[in-house]
């Protein structure tokens, strides 16, 4: 029987989802700025090009959802088109989807809350949360890293930063899970997404009123205060609170799962970490971020015609830049396919670059460092329970669906 050849431009093909490094690595070496006719977008894969592109924010707009009038890709149910317009209006007000000058004013308003020094103050909370999550599972000799640790930790930390009561955590985790449908491919995803958006607006609105009157040291107060100063509209406060809830959710989850998997597949690096968990955790976390990045790619839309490597990117064209390929570019990293937890320097682009550089990078780093340190201190014999692992069919995120491990 004749087999149908897989479409080489299908970014959701099972083999591309399973191993983005082979697929995008090939593009990086043969056609580093590649037009994908199926997705109707440019695919940029070299480290040098990616950094150049992201730093030229005047040429490449982040307001993709606002400026791109094409129907959603992958397609959604026709009946959900009105929902898509509501989602578009919501997302257009996100920091990550905005350009200068408004982006700069919004970013300045929240920057101070997220500085590396300020985030260091959260390390004891993160350490205690990791310990508490692991204490529960340790006597059982096995756990699903995703369910037991990677999923609950970021929500616990971010809801604490929002200053919401502990009993509301589960509700917010549910909403964060719904908001993640932004990056999924299911045709009915708009319904789940709207549920998350409406739930967030309903939950956060009264909190903003409260904090505008009686500010605390949480970040809803920071946003409420910026609203008072005319930097944010109320809608922008609500949208960006939702952004902060979900921007650090699946991303940090993936750092924890993908990093743990990298250690399980490289026992000699696991032994290296175990020899000095506290000392090695910082560089090791950077290498986990580089080697199997939580965010595989993100996008821009051209604001002008741009020439690069003999290609013409036209005003209005979509561009997707692939960190998973740039982080393995041999022009930027020695022996790039090797997982080496002492790697230095390590100029990975897993948090992006330029004006939209991840606001939560310091927090994510602390969460990664504390998790890898704690795992190495507790579980000398950590091992994978199955080789049958699978990833969410997402072009943006590198998300394991589960990670069962065991120890003696
Ligand atoms: C390992 C975890 C994380 C990774 C890999 C990651 C990755 C990224 C990347 C690649 C960008 C740039 C997007 C672009 O240029 O289009 C970004 C932006 C952003 N991230 Fe993260 N992130 C992580 C954790 C977090 C956390 C914990 C938070 C919040 C507490 C957060 C909040 C944000 C925000 C608000 C932006 C938008 C910044 C702006 O547009 O100025 N992220 N992140």
């Amino acid at each position: 029987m004749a087999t149908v050849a897989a479409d080489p431009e299908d970014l959701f093909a099972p083999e591309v989802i399973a191993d983005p490094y082979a697929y995008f690595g090939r593009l990086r070496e043969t056609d580093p700025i590649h037009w994908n006719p199926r997705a109707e977008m440019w695919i940029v894969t070299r480290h040098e090009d990616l950094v150049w592109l992201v730093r030229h924010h005047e040429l490449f707009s982040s307001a993709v959802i606002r400026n791109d009038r094409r129907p959603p890709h992958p397609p959604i149910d026709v009946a959900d088109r009105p929902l898509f317009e509501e989602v578009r209006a919501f997302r257009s007000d996100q920091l990550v989807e905005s350009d200068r000058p408004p982006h700069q004013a919004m970013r300045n308003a929240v920057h101070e809350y997220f500085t590396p020094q300020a985030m260091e103050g959260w390390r004891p909370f993160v350490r205690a949360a990791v310990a508490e999550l692991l204490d529960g599972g340790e006597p059982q000799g096995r756990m699903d890293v995703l369910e037991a640790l990677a999923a609950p930790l970021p929500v616990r930390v971010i809801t604490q930063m929002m200053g919401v009561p502990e009993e509301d955590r589960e509700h917010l985790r549910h909403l964060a899970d719904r908001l993640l449908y932004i990056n999924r491919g299911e045709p009915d995803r708009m319904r789940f997404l709207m549920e998350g958006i409406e739930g967030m607006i309903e939950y956060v609105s009264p909190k903003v009123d409260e904090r505008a009157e009686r500010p605390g040291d949480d970040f809803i107060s920071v946003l409420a205060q910026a609203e008072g100063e005319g930097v944010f509209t109320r809608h922008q406060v609500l949208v960006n609170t939702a952004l902060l809830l979900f921007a650090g959710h699946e991303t940090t989850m993936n750092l924890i799962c993908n990093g743990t998997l990298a250690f399980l597949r490289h026992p000699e690096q696991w032994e290296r970490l175990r020899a000095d968990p506290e000392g090695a955790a910082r560089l090791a976390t950077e290498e986990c971020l580089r080697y199997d990045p939580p965010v595989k790619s993100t996008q821009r839309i051209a604001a002008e015609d741009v020439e690069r490597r003999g290609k013409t990117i036209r005003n209005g064209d979509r561009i997707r830049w692939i960190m998973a390929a740039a982080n393995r570019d041999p022009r930027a990293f020695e022996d790039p396919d090797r997982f080496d937890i002492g790697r230095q320097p390590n100029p990975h682009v897993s948090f992006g670059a330029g004006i939209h550089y991840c606001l939560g990078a310091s927090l994510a780093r602390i969460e990664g460092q504390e998790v890898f340190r704690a795992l190495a201190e507790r579980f000398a014999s950590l091992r994978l329970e199955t080789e049958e692992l699978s990833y969410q069919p997402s072009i943006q995120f590198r998300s394991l669906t589960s990670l069962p491990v065991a120890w003696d």
Side-chain angles (χ1 to χ4, degrees):
M1 204 173 71
T3 50
V4 181
D7 181 349
E9 304 291 5
D10 183 3
L11 301 173
F12 291 89
E15 61 278 14
V16 180
I17 296 297
D19 183 4
Y21 302 102
Y23 178 83
F24 292 110
R26 252 189 325 270
L27 278 184
R28 185 187 61 227
E29 299 312 313
T30 57
D31 190 17
I33 300 182
H34 172 74
W35 175 252
N36 181 309
R38 181 173 172 142
E40 293 183 53
M41 57 172 64
W42 294 96
I43 305 289
V44 176
T45 40
R46 284 203 185 155
H47 189 275
E48 184 194 351
D49 289 340
L50 195 152
V51 172
W52 173 83
L53 180 150
V54 181
R55 289 195 185 278
H56 283 82
H57 52 87
E58 71 290 357
L59 301 178
F60 301 101
S61 164
S62 285
V64 180
I65 192 96
R66 181 180 304 136
N67 293 333
D68 188 1
R69 289 285 138 191
R70 272 161 291 212
H73 176 81
I76 55 167
D77 291 339
V78 177
D80 290 350
R81 288 308 291 266
L83 285 185
F84 177 65
E85 289 309 318
E86 286 184 52
V87 168
R88 190 202 286 279
F90 183 84
R91 291 187 62 187
S92 296
D93 262 348
Q94 288 179 337
L95 188 63
V96 69
E97 287 269 348
S98 61
D99 291 329
R100 283 188 171 179
H103 173 266
Q104 191 165 21
M106 289 198 269
R107 177 105 187 187
N108 284 348
V110 290
H111 163 81
E112 211 167 307
Y113 189 89
F114 288 97
T115 59
Q117 298 84 327
M119 288 301 107
E120 244 345 282
W122 282 89
R123 191 181 289 275
F125 180 85
V126 173
R127 187 169 291 194
V130 172
E132 198 190 312
L133 289 166
L134 290 177
D135 282 348
E138 189 162 359
Q140 291 158 25
R142 53 160 35 104
M143 69 173 162
D144 176 355
V145 176
L146 177 66
E147 268 312 301
L149 180 63
L153 179 67
V155 176
R156 190 173 285 202
V157 175
I158 208 77
T159 52
Q160 188 75 14
M161 289 184 169
M162 286 165 81
V164 304
E166 214 174 303
E167 60 271 20
D168 293 352
R169 254 189 223 152
E170 263 318 297
H171 178 56
L172 283 162
R173 182 172 164 191
H174 170 75
L175 294 179
D177 284 337
R178 290 299 190 226
L179 290 170
L180 291 178
Y181 276 86
I182 278 183
N183 297 302
R184 299 276 284 272
E186 292 89 337
D188 59 355
R189 62 189 180 276
M190 291 299 140
R191 285 170 226 171
F192 298 107
L193 188 47
M194 266 323 284
E195 195 198 313
I197 289 176
E198 283 167 356
M200 270 309 283
I201 291 179
E202 195 180 315
Y203 183 84
V204 179
S205 294
K207 300 258 180 280
V208 181
D209 287 330
E210 216 175 276
R211 311 293 160 79
E213 262 187 35
R214 282 186 306 283
D217 54 8
D218 56 280
F219 73 67
I220 299 185
S221 296
V222 175
L223 292 168
Q225 196 184 335
E227 182 192 344
E229 291 161 5
V231 178
F232 287 103
T233 61
R234 174 55 63 96
H235 189 250
Q236 285 169 334
V237 170
L238 300 173
V239 166
N240 285 292
T241 306
L243 172 67
L244 286 166
L245 175 63
F246 88 82
H249 182 28
E250 188 157 355
T251 49
T252 311
M253 234 157 80
N254 295 351
L255 166 59
I256 295 169
C257 288
N258 301 352
T260 305
L261 180 61
F263 279 114
L264 292 166
R265 294 240 158 100
H266 299 86
E268 76 296 345
Q269 298 298 314
W270 177 242
E271 286 314 315
R272 235 174 130 183
L273 178 67
R274 284 199 51 241
D276 179 15
E278 180 96 44
R282 195 178 60 79
L283 287 186
T285 301
E286 296 309 302
E287 181 65 347
C288 292
L289 283 158
R290 181 195 73 86
Y291 183 76
D292 200 6
V295 180
K296 276 190 293 198
S297 76
T298 184
Q299 58 178 350
R300 293 289 187 269
I301 186 161
E304 289 179 24
D305 289 357
V306 181
E307 293 279 337
R308 180 89 179 167
R309 289 195 197 282
K311 304 282 174 92
T312 307
I313 300 173
R314 300 259 173 232
N315 189 349
D317 282 356
R318 284 182 296 189
I319 303 117
R320 195 159 265 284
W321 35 285
I322 316 287
M323 291 90 134
N327 279 354
R328 302 276 189 108
D329 188 339
R331 295 157 198 82
F333 301 93
E334 213 182 296
D335 205 356
D337 293 324
R338 190 159 54 91
F339 179 59
D340 168 7
I341 66 162
R343 188 182 287 276
Q344 211 175 11
N346 191 343
H348 67 74
V349 282
S350 300
F351 290 121
I355 63 169
H356 290 277
Y357 183 80
C358 177
L359 187 67
S362 301
L363 175 60
R365 287 185 155 117
I366 290 171
E367 291 183 60
Q369 291 160 10
E370 289 303 321
V371 163
F372 300 132
R373 188 187 66 82
L375 290 177
E377 280 173 359
R378 286 181 187 232
F379 306 120
S381 60
L382 196 69
R383 60 179 183 276
L384 255 182
E385 278 228 295
T386 171
E387 281 297 327
E388 312 260 296
L389 297 173
S390 63
Y391 291 87
Q392 296 283 2
S394 162
I395 181 178
Q396 181 149 12
F397 286 141
R398 174 79 167 151
S399 310
L400 280 160
T401 54
S402 71
L403 184 60
V405 297
W407 55 89
D408 301 322

